[in-house]
Amino acid sequence: MVFRIVAAALCTLVASAALADAPYGATIAQQGNGHGVAPCMACHGADGGGQAAAGFPRLASLPQAYLLKQLQDFTNGSRANATMQPVASGLSDAEREAVAAYYSALPIPPAPPLLTPAGADAQRGHTLATRGRWEEGLPACEQCHGPAGIGVGEHFPPLAGQSAVYLSNELRAWQQGSRHNDPLRLMQSVAGKLSDADIAAISAWYAAQPAVVAREPKS
Ligand code: HEC
Ligand code: HEC
């Protein structure tokens, strides 16, 4: 009897926590957390689409576990970034969870017309994305990030439609070691094999791929 009451109470708690998450996340995104953290939308856009030229990434529809991990990584310093570190560490655990739930459930915003790269750079980007350079032990990006960079599961983020500025910032951050939050150093090893010309080409190529939701929607 006691067990049943406790079990029922726990179920209600879990259910209400799950329900409360996303609306609380919306409040943080739109108004900040009331304890010094600015509204996310000031930089990431009202629809979570980001700001391409400024290197503010799209958050809308990114996997929930990936978003949460990034917020934790900005906090623990394994992803060093002067802008996001104070934001992420100013949130409580529950707030990080709520805002990750909110953004992962937002639809992908309509994108401005994509600029398809042309010529030799486009060819270089396409080759890196689909074939890599096996002679240097560089795997194709799509092996982990999915066809045309749509993302795979909860831990391999989409690259499609993120801005070239943001994508190249991240590849350089891995090269320089300011971002070292990748499991098994997968991305540090990849980025270390890219030249400046590779980074420019692959970033432009993925920025021109349409973003789509690759994951099954959560029930
Ligand atoms: C002052 C501008 C600014 C504000 C406010 C801001 N961000 Fe960011 N955010 C950035 C920048 C810049 C980056 C890219 C950092 C980098 O290059 O590593 C970023 C990156 C991120 C990422 C990583 C995305 C990815 O694809 O890996 C997440 C997650 C994120 N922000 C969540 C948030 C949340 C949640 C809030 C609100 C609580 C917020 N941000 C508020 C500027 C901002
Ligand atoms: C062996 C698997 C693997 C391969 C191959 C790979 N990646 Fe990644 N990539 C990852 C993982 C895992 C992450 C997420 C790391 C984390 O948790 O922050 C990531 C993240 C990224 C990000 C950051 C996205 C964001 O939203 O911040 C960029 C940019 C990126 N990869 C570009 C590339 C490019 C370009 C290539 C090909 C040249 C490539 N990756 C090949 C595993 C891989």
Side-chain angles (χ1 to χ4, degrees):
M1 182 63 188
V2 171
F3 168 76
R4 279 221 198 134
I5 291 168
V6 172
L10 273 180
C11 285
T12 319
L13 266 183
V14 170
S16 58
L19 283 177
D21 263 354
Y24 183 32
T27 307
I28 298 168
Q30 289 153 15
Q31 297 165 29
N33 71 346
H35 301 281
V37 171
C40 320
M41 61 179 255
C43 295
H44 292 281
D47 55 8
Q51 292 183 44
F56 301 154
R58 163 172 72 92
L59 303 180
S61 202
L62 261 51
Q64 184 172 348
Y66 174 78
L67 288 171
L68 180 60
K69 175 178 177 292
Q70 300 310 307
L71 292 171
Q72 291 162 343
D73 292 347
F74 286 124
T75 304
N76 68 33
S78 61
R79 183 171 175 184
N81 181 265
T83 310
M84 273 308 296
Q85 191 274 336
V87 171
S89 50
L91 299 171
S92 67
D93 288 346
E95 288 170 342
R96 284 191 281 268
E97 276 176 32
V99 83
Y102 168 72
Y103 276 115
S104 70
L106 276 193
I108 294 176
L114 299 170
L115 297 171
T116 312
D121 266 7
Q123 188 54 48
R124 185 195 288 252
H126 181 259
T127 304
L128 286 169
T130 58
R131 281 190 260 152
R133 270 196 305 259
W134 280 107
E135 62 281 14
E136 290 173 36
L138 176 64
C141 317
E142 70 171 27
Q143 294 210 327
C144 293
H145 292 281
I150 61 175
V152 176
E154 286 284 310
H155 295 287
F156 297 98
L159 306 177
Q162 288 290 25
S163 73
V165 174
Y166 176 70
L167 294 172
S168 47
N169 283 350
E170 298 319 295
L171 293 167
R172 280 196 220 99
W174 269 304
Q175 284 187 340
Q176 291 156 5
S178 55
R179 183 168 177 176
H180 52 92
N181 64 337
D182 44 331
L184 306 174
R185 302 172 57 91
L186 294 174
M187 275 309 300
Q188 289 172 77
S189 148
V190 166
K193 296 184 170 113
L194 299 177
S195 67
D196 287 351
D198 289 337
I199 290 184
I202 195 68
S203 300
W205 194 82
Y206 276 121
Q209 306 304 311
V212 296
V213 174
R215 293 161 295 126
E216 291 293 313
K218 288 209 162 119
S219 56

